[in-house]
Amino acid sequence: MKPLLVFAGLWLCGFAVDFSFDAFIQLILIYIMINMMLAMSLNLVNGYTGQFSLGHAGFMAVGAYTSGFLSTMLPPMAGGLQIFSYFFYAISGGLAAALAGWLVGLPSLRLKGDYLAIVTLGFGEIIRVILLNTQAVGGARGMYGILGPTDWDLGGFVVSKFVIGYTHALFWVVLCFLTIWRLIRSSHGRAFLSVREDEVAAEAMGVNTTQAKVRAFVLSSFFAGVAGSIFAHYANYLNPGSFAFMRSIDAVIMVVLGGMGSLSGSLLAAVFITVLPEALRPLKDLTGVDLRMVIYSLSLILLMILRPKGLFGSNEITDFIRRKSSAQKVKA
Amino acid sequence: MKLLEAQNITMQFGGLKAVDQLSFHIQQGELMGLIGPNGAGKTTVFNMLTGVYRPTLGEVVFDGKTITGLKPYQISRLGVTRTFQNIRLFKDLSVLQNVLVASNQHLSYGMAAPVLKTKGFLSQEKEAQEKALQLLSIFGLEKKAQDEASSLPYGEQRKLEIIRALATEPKLICLDEPAAGMNHQETHHLMETIAKIRKDFKLTVLLIEHDMKLVMGICERIVVLDHGCKIEEGTPRQVQSSAKVIEAYLGTDAELQGGSV
Amino acid sequence: MEDFVQHIINGVSLGSIYALIALGYTMVYGILQLINFAHSDVYMMGAFASYYTAMFLGRDNQPGVGTLVILLVASMVACSLLGLVIERFCYRPLRKAPKLNILITAIGVSLFLEYFAQVVFGADPKVFPSVLNDTVLAEMNGVQLKSSDVTVLAVTVIMMLILNFVIYKTMLGKAMRATSTNMSVASLMGVNTDKIIAFTFIVGSSLAGVGSVLVGMKYPKIDPLMGMLIGLKAFVAAVLGGIGNIAGAVLGGLLMGVSEEMVVGYLSSTYRDAFAFGILIVILIFRPSGLLGKNSVEKV
């Protein structure tokens, strides 16, 4: 019941955004939502299951390209029906990415720590290189002409393309959040956490750690693929360069910044990471020098040294509210 | 009946034979001790029985089934559980979560059920939580259910490891030096606890221990290991008076007197 | 046949450079279990240090042994200092932190150096000063032995000999080996592990500095991102040989160099770079401890 209310509430906000803000802000909002999904899904693997994956961009790429490619093959839908087509593309992208996740995960997840990081990095790059050399999806030139949402004319009222796209993206963000949130509070989530805490002890207590790791990985890849699909239909153009190592690093930064094991932290971090380059743009225009990445990387170093737990550590924002209210009770 | 049988198991690490052609068995319901000087290979034996190491040679048979080469989680699900010499709790998880992880194997819902909050999921979770809290209360830890496992004092952490192992609903429990770091009072309490869980949970117990008071006090039968080989087997009295055992622990008369061997 | 020999010569030359850089990765990993992502960017900074030194001294067009020595010294000093600073301020505070944190910090340092260099030096490639006149020393049936290749090999061999001497014949080297085997015990035995770690960074970074001058000599275009690709290949070389193993880094470097030349020569040059990734994946899946590494079993 509660999630439906949250969804409805946020959905209505979409209309307000559509009304009040220009296309640029609207696009930022969509990108925030894409980053939210990337951060949450990576958090499942890195934060909750304790596996260090550095190749998230690869799965996003698989989802994006699958989704984009399908949409160039199939006839575009219009009006109210288009949202179903976007769901279809998103699910296809997600499933393709999940398959990639399974293929990458199976051999890699036996490895520990640093090694796993390097292998996933390698796979992420290999996926990119394969896409770069596959002419059917545009190769180095990229894939053009991927359709995005269009306005829906209802006669007197026009549902803007933003609202359509926003609704679609919102659905997935809420679903991603809900899935991970509830899964963590179940036996499966406990399995993930036990793998993070102590694999040997987890195995001794009957947890199939390999299965847990693969499951986390595949589920995470699915949502990364969906995020990629949404990205494809907004960017309308795909290029393997968009899914390079930096993209995976962005995802890792979001997870660490928000707190490994904190979904609400990931959401906040996604907002921050998406908005920061734009917020720093005036600085670039002012000084003529693009210091954004320099500041970005410096902040990363400082964050790790000074506040490695990130914003929320492994807590959720609800934990802080609860603590505050119980502290107030004690005072009274 | 024989619950567990080790048949000529050998563990070889490169050039080192940690365990050499060891054979022994445990009867159902028995409380057996595995002792020997440091480095004798006792924990290695545990690791071989629980699937952490695959024996280089030999077979392990549990409850009539050959379990050699099975993965630890598979062996756990068949009814063998253990605690660790150096406590291996899930430090950042709560006390309750530590116990719940162990009961995962008895839950049967898929991955969609928790997301959809199905009736099956909710009822199974409720049952699991109740069982876990019950276990905790037997040991007096139910008030600390939400505390972080690492915040417990040492003695309670050891208890939690045992509780966690019990939550897997085992037939055989292997305790690896459960009295390590305990004083006399705590050790005595532990002896009572072990006896109690054996009775209440209908367990078979295999115990590695250095504290001889504990071992001689509760074990019905003892296997003595030295340099990976079994050098003695029998009741506490037989083991205590065995010359071979004394020599393994204390050295020969000549060594004791400072002379050359 | 001639082609084959030429490829071998080129491969050994290339592989020597990979080996020099790989040593930095392997030594730091051996002692801190850290994959020093920033290593390839320290390498890049060394090249720029040499470049600016040559500019400053007006030696940008005076090839000769004197120039070679000056550039090597400039690069090695710059790299050592940079490596030291990074270790002291970015890695040391995280000694006790979870491995993930320090890995992310290393990535952050790497990115910082790349973007810093782009801002300060400019993203356009610069022309490295000419170090030595490249002459053909010997020729047989179309196979050429160039002086640049001989120089690379000679410098590399000298560096290896010095390194070998330090590691195996000095107290300092013994302390390094002890620290990388077991840091806490080494410190209990009186080894100043902080100093040893700092020294490890100095050595590893200097070698990268040497590598950058040699690369600048062979391929005179330098730019802020020059470390990325070669860093990756050198890292793969280190893993191939067994990360943490010094002889492994050398072996891995040579193997990577020679096989890369073979792939380019007999397969296709488009696969030159993808080849490194492929090797990496294959080793990590089938033999993560590398050729000379040992499989360590976790004690439960």
Side-chain angles (χ1 to χ4, degrees):
Chain A
M1 201 53 233
K2 208 162 74 170
L4 276 170
L5 288 172
V6 169
F7 177 77
L10 289 171
W11 185 64
L12 288 171
C13 291
F15 283 100
V17 171
D18 184 36
F19 200 61
S20 341
F21 296 108
D22 63 25
F24 179 67
I25 304 275
Q26 290 173 357
L27 189 63
I28 298 271
L29 184 60
I30 299 288
Y31 278 131
I32 289 177
M33 292 165 86
I34 291 172
N35 277 337
M36 280 179 169
M37 283 192 70
L38 286 175
M40 286 193 287
S41 55
L42 187 60
N43 207 340
L44 180 63
V45 170
N46 286 15
Y48 290 108
T49 316
Q51 303 303 299
F52 193 12
S53 168
L54 275 184
H56 215 46
F59 303 120
M60 186 189 178
V62 170
Y65 269 87
T66 306
S67 184
F69 185 70
L70 278 176
S71 73
T72 57
M73 302 258 91
L74 298 171
M77 303 252 196
L81 290 176
Q82 58 179 305
I83 203 160
F84 292 108
S85 67
Y86 289 120
F87 274 118
F88 171 72
Y89 298 139
I91 293 177
S92 313
L95 287 175
L99 178 65
W102 188 71
L103 289 171
V104 169
L106 271 187
S108 321
L109 289 166
R110 302 184 275 119
L111 303 169
K112 300 269 189 295
D114 296 344
Y115 286 144
L116 177 64
I118 298 302
V119 170
T120 49
L121 196 170
F123 272 118
E125 285 296 289
I126 284 184
I127 289 175
R128 188 181 61 82
V129 168
I130 290 176
L131 288 169
L132 198 64
N133 287 306
T134 308
Q135 292 315 312
V137 291
R141 279 178 304 109
M143 191 190 291
Y144 290 88
I146 302 170
L147 293 171
T150 53
D151 291 335
W152 180 18
D153 197 347
L154 279 172
F157 182 68
V158 174
V159 179
S160 79
K161 56 181 189 263
F162 169 73
V163 171
I164 302 215
Y166 173 78
T167 309
H168 179 237
L170 182 66
F171 169 79
W172 285 110
V173 170
V174 171
L175 181 67
C176 182
F177 185 90
L178 195 70
T179 303
I180 298 178
W181 180 279
R182 288 191 172 169
L183 208 55
I184 287 299
R185 287 154 183 78
S186 76
S187 67
H188 306 286
R190 292 190 289 266
F192 298 150
L193 291 169
S194 70
V195 166
R196 176 188 78 192
E197 294 295 306
D198 192 324
E199 254 188 83
V200 172
E203 278 261 339
M205 294 301 118
V207 175
N208 185 340
T209 54
T210 307
Q211 186 187 62
K213 286 191 271 190
V214 172
R215 279 182 175 175
F217 209 69
V218 169
L219 187 60
S220 154
S221 309
F222 174 79
F223 283 116
V226 171
S229 160
I230 298 173
F231 175 78
H233 296 286
Y234 258 91
N236 306 119
Y237 163 69
L238 286 179
N239 183 297
S242 321
F243 305 105
F245 182 51
M246 262 318 289
R247 173 82 64 177
S248 294
I249 292 298
D250 277 346
V252 172
I253 291 174
M254 284 190 278
V255 172
V256 175
L257 174 63
M260 299 221 284
S262 172
L263 278 182
S264 41
S266 295
L267 294 177
L268 239 87
V271 174
F272 186 70
I273 293 294
T274 316
V275 168
L276 186 67
E278 299 309 317
L280 285 176
R281 209 180 272 275
L283 188 66
K284 173 184 174 195
D285 299 331
L286 203 66
T287 59
V289 165
D290 195 355
L291 284 174
R292 288 180 298 165
M293 285 314 297
V294 176
I295 296 176
Y296 192 69
S297 49
L298 208 55
S299 320
L300 188 61
I301 299 172
L302 287 170
L303 178 71
M304 282 288 95
I305 296 176
L306 298 173
R307 199 181 161 85
K309 286 220 165 222
L311 282 170
F312 291 156
S314 53
N315 301 311
E316 300 288 353
I317 196 166
T318 46
D319 295 334
F320 291 119
I321 299 173
R322 211 177 296 145
R323 252 175 242 166
K324 226 181 165 194
S325 66
S326 63
Q328 283 173 341
K329 282 202 196 119
V330 171
K331 269 194 211 160
Chain B
M1 72 128 211
K2 289 188 196 168
L3 184 61
L4 177 84
E5 187 171 0
Q7 299 167 341
N8 258 314
I9 54 176
T10 300
M11 194 68 217
Q12 188 131 7
F13 294 114
L16 173 69
K17 243 188 204 161
V19 174
D20 196 0
Q21 290 183 294
L22 175 65
S23 293
F24 68 93
H25 70 270
I26 312 178
Q27 296 281 101
Q28 183 159 36
E30 225 181 350
L31 210 173
M32 197 164 112
L34 183 62
I35 66 172
N38 271 320
K42 309 185 291 292
T43 301
T44 310
V45 171
F46 262 29
N47 288 338
M48 292 162 85
L49 297 178
T50 54
V52 176
Y53 297 154
R54 201 212 157 105
T56 326
L57 292 169
E59 301 289 335
V60 180
V61 179
F62 177 75
D63 207 6
K65 201 174 163 188
T66 309
I67 61 170
T68 342
L70 286 183
K71 291 233 170 88
Y73 79 89
Q74 291 169 308
I75 295 180
S76 167
R77 293 180 191 190
L78 287 173
V80 181
T81 195
R82 70 172 295 176
T83 62
F84 294 91
Q85 198 173 0
N86 305 313
I87 303 178
R88 291 185 89 126
L89 289 173
F90 304 125
K91 293 209 197 87
D92 282 341
L93 300 187
S94 71
V95 166
L96 183 64
Q97 277 176 314
N98 266 269
V99 179
L100 283 173
V101 170
S103 60
N104 265 8
Q105 53 181 271
H106 303 295
L107 296 169
S108 61
Y109 50 76
M111 287 182 81
V115 182
L116 298 171
K117 276 201 169 161
T118 62
K119 282 219 185 77
F121 161 73
L122 289 169
S123 66
Q124 283 192 46
E125 275 291 294
K126 187 154 169 265
E127 201 186 315
Q129 298 242 356
E130 281 168 4
K131 270 197 193 162
L133 283 168
Q134 228 173 12
L135 262 178
L136 286 173
S137 64
I138 295 177
F139 293 83
L141 282 179
E142 77 279 12
K143 292 231 166 58
K144 299 201 175 178
Q146 299 304 331
D147 293 355
E148 236 175 64
S150 54
S151 69
L152 291 179
Y154 181 77
E156 286 181 353
Q157 284 191 18
R158 281 229 167 261
K159 262 198 218 171
L160 181 57
E161 260 224 342
I162 296 177
I163 299 171
R164 185 178 66 174
L166 288 174
T168 62
E169 293 174 29
K171 298 190 186 123
L172 168 68
I173 183 167
C174 303
L175 300 168
D176 198 341
E177 297 196 36
M182 287 188 179
N183 61 30
H184 285 311
Q185 205 183 2
E186 289 167 332
T187 308
H188 187 73
H189 186 65
L190 179 69
M191 281 168 70
E192 291 176 344
T193 308
I194 296 177
K196 185 175 145 76
I197 62 173
R198 180 181 56 157
K199 194 170 69 127
D200 294 346
F201 294 91
K202 298 192 189 35
L203 293 176
T204 307
V205 181
L206 176 61
L207 178 68
I208 291 179
E209 231 340 297
H210 278 299
D211 187 324
M212 284 304 139
K213 238 177 148 192
L214 176 71
V215 173
M216 300 301 165
I218 59 172
C219 293
E220 292 159 352
R221 211 157 47 93
I222 302 174
V223 166
V224 187
L225 238 55
D226 187 23
H227 288 100
C229 303
K230 178 166 76 173
I231 60 170
E232 192 59 80
E233 182 176 353
T235 64
R237 180 159 295 178
Q238 287 171 319
V239 164
Q240 269 172 318
S241 46
S242 157
K244 276 187 264 175
V245 175
I246 296 174
E247 187 180 319
Y249 270 100
L250 299 176
T252 58
D253 268 344
E255 286 168 341
L256 279 174
Q257 282 161 26
S260 54
V261 179
Chain C
M1 187 57 206
E2 301 74 38
D3 277 351
F4 182 74
V5 176
Q6 186 71 66
H7 284 311
I8 296 276
I9 294 175
N10 295 347
V12 168
S13 186
L14 186 62
S16 309
I17 296 174
Y18 287 161
L20 286 170
I21 304 172
L23 278 166
Y25 281 119
T26 225
M27 287 171 76
V28 169
Y29 190 86
I31 215 160
L32 283 182
Q33 282 78 57
L34 162 71
I35 298 173
N36 187 6
F37 273 90
H39 188 58
S40 57
D41 302 290
V42 169
Y43 153 90
M44 172 271 293
M45 294 293 267
F48 276 92
S50 305
Y51 170 80
Y52 282 110
T53 307
M55 290 291 132
F56 182 70
L57 294 175
R59 277 190 98 110
D60 49 321
N61 207 3
Q62 292 177 29
V65 180
T67 308
L68 175 66
V69 171
I70 291 176
L71 293 181
L72 279 176
V73 169
S75 181
M76 286 170 81
V77 168
C79 289
S80 307
L81 283 174
L82 188 57
L84 249 149
V85 166
I86 294 173
E87 193 278 314
R88 178 66 188 81
F89 294 106
C90 303
Y91 298 157
R92 199 190 293 189
L94 291 171
R95 214 54 88 64
K96 299 266 183 334
K99 287 283 150 62
L100 181 62
N101 292 25
I102 198 174
L103 203 65
I104 295 178
T105 308
I107 294 176
V109 174
S110 168
L111 291 173
F112 175 74
L113 287 173
E114 284 165 18
Y115 289 111
F116 174 83
Q118 283 180 330
V119 167
V120 172
F121 305 144
D124 304 326
K126 310 242 182 309
V127 180
F128 201 71
S130 44
V131 186
L132 283 176
N133 273 324
D134 199 8
T135 53
V136 179
L137 291 177
E139 187 156 353
M140 199 163 71
N141 287 357
V143 177
Q144 291 184 324
L145 183 64
K146 295 218 194 100
S147 62
S148 58
D149 291 328
V150 172
T151 313
V152 168
L153 197 58
V155 172
T156 306
V157 169
I158 293 173
M159 288 297 149
M160 297 295 175
L161 288 173
I162 298 176
L163 183 71
N164 191 60
F165 178 77
V166 168
I167 303 260
Y168 293 106
K169 297 273 193 308
T170 65
M171 277 303 279
L172 187 57
K174 199 177 262 192
M176 285 172 80
R177 281 180 287 142
T179 311
S180 87
T181 310
N182 191 325
M183 199 183 298
S184 42
V185 174
S187 110
L188 286 173
M189 294 295 119
V191 172
N192 185 337
T193 46
D194 282 343
K195 283 219 176 92
I196 296 297
I197 291 172
F199 187 71
T200 307
F201 270 82
I202 290 178
V203 173
S205 307
S206 312
L207 291 173
V210 171
S212 72
V213 171
L214 295 175
V215 167
M217 181 176 81
K218 285 190 74 170
Y219 315 101
K221 276 222 293 236
I222 66 170
D223 70 275
L225 297 180
M226 64 188 275
M228 285 179 87
L229 202 51
I230 199 165
L232 168 76
K233 292 178 184 174
F235 176 71
V236 177
V239 175
L240 174 62
I243 193 144
N245 187 311
I246 289 181
V250 179
L251 177 64
L254 288 170
L255 280 174
M256 284 296 289
V258 171
S259 45
E260 185 180 315
E261 275 296 313
M262 292 299 164
V263 165
V264 168
Y266 295 112
L267 274 175
S268 151
S269 59
T270 42
Y271 288 110
R272 170 185 278 243
D273 301 334
F275 176 68
F277 270 121
I279 296 270
L280 181 65
I281 304 283
V282 167
I283 315 167
L284 287 179
I285 291 180
F286 294 109
R287 203 190 153 89
S289 50
L291 292 171
L292 298 182
K294 272 171 280 185
N295 245 323
S296 54
V297 184
E298 185 188 352
K299 201 160 195 266
V300 174

